[in-house]
Amino acid sequence: MAESKHDPNTATLSSHILDTSMGTPGRGLSMTLFEKTQDGFKKLSSHVTNDDGRVKDFKPLGAGIYKIVFDTDGYYKKLNTECFYPECTVVFRTKLGEHYHVPLLLSPFGYTTYRGS
């Protein structure tokens, strides 16, 4: 069995936005990470995608339920483009010792996501 290269005491996270309407990375898109608590969701951090549409600087996570809220309205306003979904929310579960990549394939009138690698 291959040895895991991830810290067994944390989960790691990255994200990537691809604007499928233009065939380019989603540069400059703001997103906010939240953690589920007994009282609802607590904000952990805010990020902006780089020129390659990526965010790699999330802090290590614990096991639990998290969500990323992607500010698609702000992104498309900068492009002078109307969009149907002002934000996209992706809720996901983590386990310790694993890496989670949460990509968003985006267009003004639709989006999809999956667990990447």
Side-chain angles (χ1 to χ4, degrees):
M1 178 185 239
E3 200 174 310
S4 173
K5 44 186 182 172
H6 301 293
D7 180 344
N9 300 310
T10 65
T12 56
L13 178 65
S14 60
S15 186
H16 187 199
I17 313 301
L18 293 172
D19 187 330
T20 59
S21 67
M22 298 190 303
T24 60
R27 296 175 185 94
L29 189 144
S30 298
M31 63 180 77
T32 305
L33 175 67
F34 297 84
E35 178 179 24
K36 188 170 186 180
T37 68
Q38 290 180 322
D39 300 322
F41 280 93
K42 173 186 166 188
K43 179 180 173 180
L44 295 180
S45 58
S46 295
H47 305 268
V48 177
T49 57
N50 64 18
D51 285 345
D52 195 32
R54 296 179 185 273
V55 171
K56 299 179 185 180
D57 64 345
F58 293 100
K59 292 187 177 176
L61 306 175
I65 297 175
Y66 296 86
K67 75 177 175 180
I68 299 175
V69 178
F70 298 92
D71 178 16
T72 51
D73 199 43
Y75 171 75
Y76 279 114
K77 279 183 179 175
K78 289 187 259 182
L79 298 173
N80 295 315
T81 301
E82 182 181 339
C83 71
F84 182 67
Y85 297 103
E87 63 183 31
C88 300
T89 300
V90 178
V91 181
F92 56 97
R93 184 183 317 269
T94 61
K95 293 190 281 186
L96 299 180
E98 296 197 27
H99 175 74
Y100 296 89
H101 183 64
V102 181
L104 187 70
L105 304 177
L106 183 62
S107 74
F109 296 97
Y111 68 94
T112 191
T113 188
Y114 56 93
R115 181 179 174 183
S117 58

